[in-house]
Amino acid sequence: MQRDRGVRWGGGRFGARAEQRGSAPLAGSALPLLRRPAPRARAARLRAAAGGEPADHSGGYAAGPGPGSQQQAAHSGSGGDKAPRGGAPKRHERANDYCQHYVDTGQRPQNFLRDSELEDRYADYPHLQRLAALKDKQVRAHTTPPYALRADLRKLQLSKEVFGTKFDVVLIDPPWEEYARRAPGLVADPEVWTWQEIQALNVGAIADVPSAVFLWCGSAEGLDAGRHCLRRWGFRRVEDICWVKTNKDAKARTYLNSQEPGSMLVHTKEHCLVGLRGAVKREVDGHILHANCDVDVIVSEEPPLGSTEKPDELYGIIERFVNGRRRLELFGEDHNVREGWVTVGRGISQTTFKKQVYAGHFRSEGGVPYDEHRGAKPPPGAPVLVPSTAEIEALRLRLSNPHNDAGRFRAR
């Protein structure tokens, strides 16, 4: 059966225009690709074949099979009044009422987003799909073994002497007070840090120049406190990645459905602030900030109640965008340990990190150690960077900004 055409995930800011031209869309935007809704006759056939999917008589865009179909089908099948063509639905009709469906069933509206999984997101955009696949292959070919360091960050003094080198990327998932407050007694690790304690971490001592920091900050006080932390560490905020949490298995297990004290809405998302350090620009430093084939929204299932685990998709976003090979994660646990990263936290069961061995991964071909005090950005081909290929660079040029004439011939 041919699928109804509604709100698609991905496609980029200019995806609709690119699709009309038959060319690849621009990557890097979280806006969904809006396609024309199907004609009414075809939409009716699709609803009938799917067992009564809800129609959208308001002329808006659908996000896939949605709620509200049974009540609407009962009215429309009774021979009653129908909505005028192109007009608003009658009061007794419901047009994809995802909010009311959430109130009635607990199913979140984002559960009905189509093509939100990584394997489906770029299925219709072969250039983006090819670029992401090539980039992932290149990262894996120049990765370091997984390293873990069991340590209490309240006592560990973050410094180059501890790790043997500085880092190009620092990922931080601190135990905000919000985590313990929203699931009292259920959080596996009851440790809680105030935002002042998080801000006091000496992240600037282990971050190279240039470098990037990714800070998970929840959805409450961390949104403001996280910005203070970035400034204290010497970073400027440049992006905000939003994790939209689904609850597709709501009938089988319990999810976070309570409302935060003092909040206006029920929180079903978390934020990760992105900060940059140093004078680095994608227009001229494409060998440092590289393949921009991801969006700033992650849609995935919420972890079990009490867990603070974050989606693994963020690792891929970081590895494709930041070309630096020295990656550090703070407040990590055993499930965070992965190739290419040094994971530090008191939740680590076994230490495998040795600073001399780790620093040895970043020597030049002549065996000379990499020097962070060189006073300049790492040049192309530096041992701390993931090397590129001709095909990757060609795809990056092809996906340049069509609204910038100079950008058409410049790597993003």
Side-chain angles (χ1 to χ4, degrees):
M1 182 183 70
Q2 188 175 4
R3 295 192 308 179
D4 192 9
R5 305 178 73 187
V7 172
R8 295 289 314 283
W9 197 250
R13 188 178 307 159
F14 308 105
R17 181 178 301 175
E19 184 189 24
Q20 294 171 4
R21 295 195 304 264
S23 59
L26 174 67
S29 171
L31 298 179
L33 168 58
L34 300 181
R35 296 183 175 181
R36 288 184 181 180
R40 293 185 181 278
R42 177 167 166 262
R45 290 196 300 270
L46 290 171
R47 290 195 303 274
E53 294 180 10
D56 188 350
H57 293 287
S58 63
Y61 292 95
S69 59
Q70 293 181 352
Q71 178 178 340
Q72 181 172 313
H75 286 290
S76 60
S78 62
D81 294 337
K82 296 182 178 180
R85 185 175 183 84
K90 297 293 185 180
R91 284 183 302 173
H92 61 265
E93 292 179 338
R94 189 184 304 172
N96 285 2
D97 196 341
Y98 296 94
C99 293
Q100 184 61 45
H101 187 70
Y102 170 72
V103 174
D104 295 338
T105 68
Q107 287 276 340
R108 297 171 183 169
Q110 54 263 36
N111 292 354
F112 302 95
L113 281 170
R114 292 202 311 245
D115 297 349
S116 61
E117 300 297 331
L118 276 174
E119 57 269 20
D120 302 325
R121 187 173 305 165
Y122 300 128
D124 295 335
Y125 310 108
H127 298 299
L128 277 173
Q129 192 175 48
R130 179 65 174 166
L131 175 59
L134 288 174
K135 183 64 180 182
D136 290 341
K137 181 180 178 180
Q138 193 73 355
V139 169
R140 297 281 76 81
H142 297 84
T143 191
T144 62
Y147 290 103
L149 175 61
R150 179 182 174 88
D152 187 347
L153 287 168
R154 293 185 186 276
K155 302 176 181 178
L156 180 68
Q157 295 295 323
L158 299 179
S159 65
K160 179 183 175 182
E161 288 69 30
V162 171
F163 297 101
T165 184
K166 293 188 177 181
F167 292 89
D168 306 300
V169 177
V170 182
L171 171 60
I172 308 174
D173 185 12
W176 294 97
E177 294 175 310
E178 174 192 352
Y179 296 162
R181 186 173 64 243
R182 69 189 184 190
L186 296 177
V187 179
D189 187 351
E191 182 184 25
V192 171
W193 286 45
T194 65
W195 74 267
Q196 291 89 348
E197 291 175 316
I198 298 170
Q199 180 181 250
L201 285 170
N202 195 8
V203 176
I206 55 172
D208 201 358
V209 181
S211 60
V213 65
F214 292 75
L215 174 64
W216 283 108
C217 57
S219 58
E221 65 274 4
L223 287 172
D224 290 328
R227 287 165 167 79
H228 289 288
C229 293
L230 293 186
R231 286 194 292 269
R232 174 69 175 271
W233 299 335
F235 291 82
R236 66 184 186 279
R237 191 198 69 83
V238 294
E239 291 291 347
D240 178 353
I241 298 175
C242 182
W243 172 29
V244 181
K245 298 183 282 188
T246 60
N247 65 340
K248 296 180 180 180
D249 200 19
K251 293 183 178 180
R253 66 182 180 93
T254 305
Y255 290 80
L256 284 172
N257 287 318
S258 60
Q259 192 166 344
E260 277 278 314
S263 66
M264 302 292 292
L265 304 171
V266 176
H267 294 168
T268 63
K269 59 175 176 47
E270 293 190 35
H271 295 263
C272 179
L273 300 180
V274 184
L276 283 181
R277 186 184 194 189
V280 57
K281 298 181 180 179
R282 288 177 51 219
E283 291 82 358
V284 295
D285 299 312
H287 61 292
I288 299 174
L289 301 181
H290 202 246
N292 185 28
C293 53
D294 292 287
V295 296
D296 56 1
V297 175
I298 299 173
V299 181
S300 67
E301 189 74 353
E302 181 179 290
L305 192 63
S307 172
T308 60
E309 186 174 348
K310 302 303 189 296
D312 288 343
E313 184 177 338
L314 182 66
Y315 293 109
I317 293 175
I318 294 173
E319 292 166 1
R320 286 186 288 270
F321 184 60
V322 182
N323 248 7
R325 297 172 57 215
R326 300 169 298 172
R327 311 181 189 99
L328 173 70
E329 180 170 5
L330 300 180
F331 298 100
E333 300 175 350
D334 284 337
H335 64 83
N336 300 116
V337 178
R338 59 186 282 130
E339 288 185 345
W341 290 78
V342 176
T343 308
V344 181
R346 73 175 197 168
I348 299 296
S349 59
Q350 183 179 3
T351 294
T352 60
F353 177 80
K354 295 182 179 180
K355 65 178 183 180
Q356 295 86 356
V357 176
Y358 184 71
H361 293 295
F362 311 106
R363 296 180 181 271
S364 63
E365 294 182 357
V368 179
Y370 183 74
D371 182 16
E372 290 91 354
H373 301 289
R374 64 203 172 280
K377 304 172 188 175
V384 295
L385 299 177
V386 176
S388 189
T389 66
E391 185 176 2
I392 288 177
E393 295 305 310
L395 287 170
R396 291 178 64 229
L397 286 169
R398 185 163 187 159
L399 296 173
S400 296
N401 189 347
H403 278 225
N404 186 345
D405 290 335
R408 292 173 186 238
F409 309 100
R410 184 176 64 225
R412 294 284 293 164

